[in-house]
Amino acid sequence: MVAIRGSGLTSLGREPDPSSLVRAAVDRALSDAGLDVDAIDALVVANAAGEAFTSIGNVSVWTATEAGLAGTPAIRVDTGPSSGLAAVSTARGWLGAPGIDNVLVLGWEAMTSVPTEEATEILAGLMAADEREAGLSLPRLVACLTRAYLDRHDRSLAELDRVAHKAHRLAEANPIAQFGEVTLDEIAASRVVADPLRLMHCAPLTDGAAALVVADEGPVEIASMGAASDHLAYTQRRTPPERFQATQDAAEACFASTETERSDVDVVELHDAFVSLEAINLEDLGFVPDGEGLDHVAEPEADALGPSPAVNPSGGLKARGHPVGATGLAQTVECVDQCLDRAANPVADAGTALVHSIGGFGNNVHVALLEARP
Amino acid sequence: MIAASRCPACGRVAAPPRDRCQGCRARTDDETLDPEGTVLTYTSGAEGWIALVELAGGARTWVQAPSEPTIGERLSVDA
């Protein structure tokens, strides 16, 4: 078995000093695992753009040194915003090699030390060059996906506002979240970023770090994983413009190698970098039929987590925060906390959780299924 | 007409043309397409609007539009 022996997450928000982020995440994960740093045999670092956001080079060795792991083998994994979950996949493969019994997986990103325009430009590096030259950006691509989705399924922008409202309400109760509650009026009145998406439909720029100790035993098993990529350019895809084929393929791969079924899943932490993705991803993951995702995630009642599976009880990327290289691990930490009944917004009797992380525009998707072990 | 490519192996059409098929890597043949296609979706650009347009054979391309398009509308690459 491959399991998560301990996990830890920093507060998310504005703390652009990578050293303090790394140390805090390592300390929390090791403390949770009940291990000393000497017990760590290998390090997998998840980081999407450390060189661009900070002046740090050789991210793997720099991180190992800051973590107190100088001399330990260290690999850096970069699949953009899914780096954290890709790093878990790497650790899973590394575990069990001679002398490798405890692998520390550590993700960090410090994004707020550069101006917002520069950060947007750095993240646009995830796109095809010809689409950048055509005037597209990641928010514009997701705006296109969102419009196609709303049109195809006859859904309204007001429903997206309610998804954002729900995310912020859940984040209000999560002490590590970047944001708290906002009103529906504030969401609807926020500026248009890329029509029809408004600022309050988009995840923020975030500093943060998260870490896991992956070992052959622990309280939460990594029962299965799946991954898939897609054509880099939106124009090269031939699938419906409101769908992410890579999410469908990664979920199929994940469920194909386990007896666990979608109906067994209690909690889903999915990649809602834009609120429309909360509905679209839930459909592409196969939990609800196409066009019905908003019925599931646009808040039904003021204090409810919604129908099963609960979706993004942490507040999600949207309101908990989105430190890109660390996000997949922050999602995983939330799912571990749910499985161990210690989450900020606990889902009753949660024992099975699914993590979904996207690295780019519908690309480099990783999915993991976690199960509590008695 | 606009320049495009067609894959003799899998039939994939691309505009602008590609030497190798982006679906199966086979060498492609030259093709020309009617510049008019169907708007699949669109958003606002720095100036005006930008639409994802599907041409004959399934090729997709971006088209700048001075006024807001509608999904399903016919739009020309030369617009």
Side-chain angles (χ1 to χ4, degrees):
Chain A
M1 144 168 129
V2 177
I4 295 168
R5 190 164 175 179
S7 62
L9 175 62
T10 65
S11 283
L12 303 187
R14 186 175 280 270
E15 170 48 87
D17 173 25
S19 297
S20 57
L21 292 172
V22 164
R23 289 176 198 156
V26 171
D27 288 348
R28 286 170 201 180
L30 288 175
S31 166
D32 188 45
L35 292 175
D36 187 79
V37 70
D38 296 341
I40 300 302
D41 305 308
L43 172 67
V44 182
V45 180
N47 177 273
E51 295 87 344
F53 283 120
T54 71
S55 57
I56 293 165
N58 204 340
V59 168
S60 56
V61 173
W62 179 88
T63 306
T65 306
E66 291 297 317
L69 288 166
T72 304
I75 293 176
R76 182 260 192 96
V77 171
D78 167 18
T79 59
S82 65
S83 297
L85 210 51
V88 173
S89 181
T90 303
R92 196 167 167 248
W94 203 352
L95 191 74
I100 308 292
D101 297 324
N102 290 300
V103 181
L104 184 72
V105 186
L106 171 57
W108 64 270
E109 209 76 59
M111 306 171 74
T112 70
S113 52
V114 302
T116 300
E117 302 71 39
E118 191 178 334
T120 304
E121 193 59 32
I122 291 167
L123 295 173
L126 291 161
M127 298 169 51
D130 58 348
E131 296 199 316
R132 286 205 305 274
E133 286 158 15
L136 278 307
S137 61
L138 283 175
R140 286 180 182 144
L141 288 174
V142 178
C144 285
L145 177 95
T146 301
R147 187 186 303 283
Y149 177 83
L150 296 176
D151 179 80
R152 175 73 58 113
H153 297 295
D154 197 22
R155 310 301 303 223
S156 75
L157 204 53
E159 292 177 284
L160 297 187
D161 294 348
R162 296 218 308 279
V163 179
H165 191 246
K166 179 212 65 166
H168 279 265
R169 176 172 52 73
L170 291 169
E172 175 76 32
N174 186 348
I176 61 89
Q178 186 163 1
F179 294 120
E181 199 147 11
V182 295
T183 67
L184 277 169
D185 286 345
E186 286 173 300
I187 295 164
S190 61
R191 72 178 169 86
V192 173
V193 170
D195 198 281
L197 293 176
R198 293 179 178 275
L199 182 65
M200 291 300 295
H201 296 140
C202 310
L205 299 171
T206 305
D207 305 320
L212 308 174
V213 178
V214 174
D216 64 1
E217 56 185 52
V220 178
E221 181 179 1
I222 303 170
S224 182
M225 293 190 78
S229 65
D230 202 343
H231 290 280
L232 184 56
Y234 198 23
T235 50
Q236 290 298 332
R237 300 180 193 173
R238 297 292 179 264
T239 44
E242 73 279 11
R243 303 256 66 102
F244 281 159
Q245 185 66 41
T247 291
Q248 297 179 20
D249 294 347
E252 284 307 313
C254 182
F255 281 104
S257 55
T258 175
E259 290 184 1
T260 301
E261 296 179 5
R262 287 172 178 78
S263 57
D264 299 321
V265 175
D266 305 302
V267 187
V268 176
E269 274 282 323
L270 54 72
H271 193 98
D272 63 328
F274 301 86
V275 290
S276 50
L277 294 183
E278 201 168 322
I280 294 167
N281 293 334
L282 194 68
E283 296 167 17
D284 282 334
L285 287 166
F287 285 103
V288 295
D290 287 0
E292 296 180 16
L294 285 168
D295 297 328
H296 196 101
V297 298
E299 58 188 341
E301 292 167 37
D303 61 350
L305 281 165
S308 184
V311 179
N312 291 14
S314 66
L317 281 57
K318 169 69 193 85
R320 180 197 55 220
H322 184 21
V324 286
T327 279
L329 291 167
Q331 295 172 296
T332 305
V333 172
E334 168 69 16
C335 286
V336 168
D337 288 346
Q338 289 289 354
C339 287
L340 300 179
D341 195 24
R342 62 185 193 189
N345 291 303
V347 176
D349 301 323
T352 303
L354 183 134
V355 191
H356 162 263
S357 207
I358 307 178
F361 180 69
N363 229 317
N364 245 324
V365 175
H366 288 258
V367 172
L369 197 58
L370 308 183
E371 294 177 11
R373 282 289 157 248
Chain B
M1 302 299 274
I2 60 168
S5 58
R6 180 181 294 274
C7 175
C10 74
R12 185 184 179 89
V13 179
R18 303 268 183 166
D19 293 343
R20 292 267 184 183
C21 176
Q22 297 288 298
C24 70
R25 293 186 45 77
R27 285 201 179 280
T28 60
D29 298 331
D30 290 342
E31 174 77 295
T32 54
L33 296 177
D34 186 327
E36 197 173 89
T38 304
V39 174
L40 295 178
T41 184
Y42 65 91
T43 186
S44 49
E47 293 172 14
W49 301 82
I50 182 163
L52 180 68
V53 170
E54 186 165 85
L55 302 166
R60 296 180 186 182
T61 191
W62 294 104
V63 176
Q64 306 285 338
S67 59
E68 184 173 357
T70 55
I71 289 176
E73 178 187 348
R74 300 286 288 172
L75 208 58
S76 175
V77 174
D78 298 322

